[in-house]
Amino acid sequence: MANTIHNLKQLRTVNVTRYVTPLREGGSMPAIAEADDGFLYVLKFRGAGQGHKALISEIIGGEIARVLGLKVPELVFANLDEAFGRTEPDEEIQDLLKASVGLNLALHYLSGAITYDPTVTKIEPLLASQIIWLDCLLTNMDRTPRNTNMLFWHKELWLIDHGASLYFHHSWQNWEEQAKRPFMLVKDHVLLPQADLLNEVNESFKTILTPGLIQDILNLITDEWLNEDIFKSSQAQREAYALFLNTRIANSAVFVKEAQNAKEAII
């Protein structure tokens, strides 16, 4: 059902050499930028509204999706030099660049990709169920008909933008309990009508996402971004993410049932 062979590699690091254009449809104003490897990237800034927490969500969500066999653009760390924004005429962009000096995150730019339109294309039930399961695990509120955060590129469906996932970490209140709760916003998920194979996907994905694999993904996150005051160390914060995710996986029947109930309610 899913590709269980995965080679989890360290994220590459590139240096940003050219700011191409802002993507103003994103609330955090990401940008298309060129790096010293000659490729274009969608650059997510640490100085944006949700800061490095959105970047942590991107790594966790993107790399979990990847090991589950879903299509996600390559994620890289992107260094932004102190001098980079000095010639930028737009004051808002200049402020964002100044606040983002250092290590940021970027996704490989899928040139020519088109936004998934649910009125034009229906996704087959297995893939729809896989994406629903992933978003329920991650509590990803940002895959709605208004903003699907999915692209068609070379006739394949690619997932982008997991920055709104794991919203518990913006306050860390009752996060142990939140790990066991259903994902109520699944009712708004753009792929819910096609998700007919949630039970089958649940059985498959639970066997792939072992605690060891979750830890390997969390180890990709740079210590620099794991600096919450409520934790004694970056490792303690990693352990909290691990506990949340592993608890959620162990209790996946709860969010699967909620998704199935939500699906029945719209039929």
Side-chain angles (χ1 to χ4, degrees):
M1 177 163 296
N3 178 12
T4 58
I5 300 172
H6 45 261
N7 296 307
L8 199 62
K9 299 177 181 177
Q10 293 298 310
L11 303 188
R12 294 190 299 118
T13 300
V14 300
N15 296 305
V16 180
T17 56
R18 183 168 67 97
Y19 185 100
V20 178
T21 186
L23 297 172
R24 294 188 182 273
E25 65 270 19
S28 57
M29 205 160 73
I32 298 174
E34 187 174 9
D36 57 358
D37 60 357
F39 289 109
L40 291 176
Y41 293 92
V42 176
L43 186 57
K44 303 291 186 82
F45 295 102
R46 64 186 294 168
Q50 295 182 342
H52 56 261
K53 290 183 179 179
L55 309 187
I56 290 171
S57 294
E58 288 282 7
I59 290 178
I60 294 174
E63 293 308 310
I64 287 179
R66 197 184 313 282
V67 300
L68 292 176
L70 300 168
K71 296 287 186 182
V72 184
E74 181 191 9
L75 291 167
V76 300
F77 291 119
N79 267 319
L80 201 61
D81 188 81
E82 188 176 1
F84 192 77
R86 289 177 184 165
T87 58
E88 172 56 50
D90 185 305
E91 286 190 15
E92 185 181 9
I93 294 174
Q94 188 179 101
D95 289 344
L96 180 59
L97 295 174
K98 286 179 180 177
S100 302
V101 169
L103 206 61
N104 299 272
L105 193 72
L107 295 85
H108 193 89
Y109 178 59
L110 305 181
S111 180
I114 58 173
T115 299
Y116 167 67
D117 184 345
T119 64
V120 174
T121 307
K122 296 300 180 189
I123 302 302
E124 52 93 13
L126 176 58
L127 181 56
S129 300
Q130 290 172 334
I131 295 171
I132 289 272
W133 193 97
L134 170 74
D135 289 337
C136 286
L137 169 68
L138 299 173
T139 61
N140 181 15
M141 64 180 74
D142 219 359
R143 197 103 66 197
T144 66
R146 184 178 57 85
N147 186 24
T148 65
N149 281 320
M150 293 183 288
L151 300 174
F152 265 109
W153 192 59
H154 295 295
K155 299 181 180 180
E156 293 182 306
L157 189 69
W158 291 70
L159 307 183
I160 60 169
D161 199 352
H162 295 93
S165 303
L166 305 172
Y167 48 79
F168 74 92
H169 69 172
H170 293 287
S171 67
W172 289 97
Q173 289 183 348
N174 301 320
W175 61 270
E176 297 99 327
E177 282 304 309
Q178 289 190 52
K180 303 173 186 176
R181 292 176 185 167
F183 180 53
M184 306 303 291
L185 296 179
V186 70
K187 63 182 174 59
D188 300 319
H189 200 290
V190 66
L191 298 181
L192 187 61
Q194 292 95 268
D196 295 331
L197 297 171
L198 285 165
N199 286 331
E200 292 86 344
V201 168
N202 185 45
E203 291 305 310
S204 173
F205 279 3
K206 283 178 69 173
T207 64
I208 297 171
L209 294 180
T210 63
L213 182 55
I214 292 296
Q215 192 60 54
D216 287 344
I217 291 171
L218 294 173
N219 287 341
L220 297 173
I221 303 168
T222 176
D223 286 355
E224 182 183 343
W225 296 346
L226 297 166
N227 55 8
E228 290 285 330
D229 292 338
I230 63 171
F231 297 104
K232 293 180 180 178
S233 65
S234 58
Q235 189 54 35
Q237 189 170 344
R238 261 195 204 88
E239 290 170 1
Y241 280 113
L243 181 57
F244 178 88
L245 290 166
N246 289 324
T247 300
R248 198 149 183 78
I249 292 164
N251 291 274
S252 61
V254 173
F255 64 68
V256 166
K257 184 63 175 174
E258 178 62 31
Q260 291 169 330
N261 290 343
K263 184 178 182 301
E264 289 177 9
I266 61 174
I267 295 176

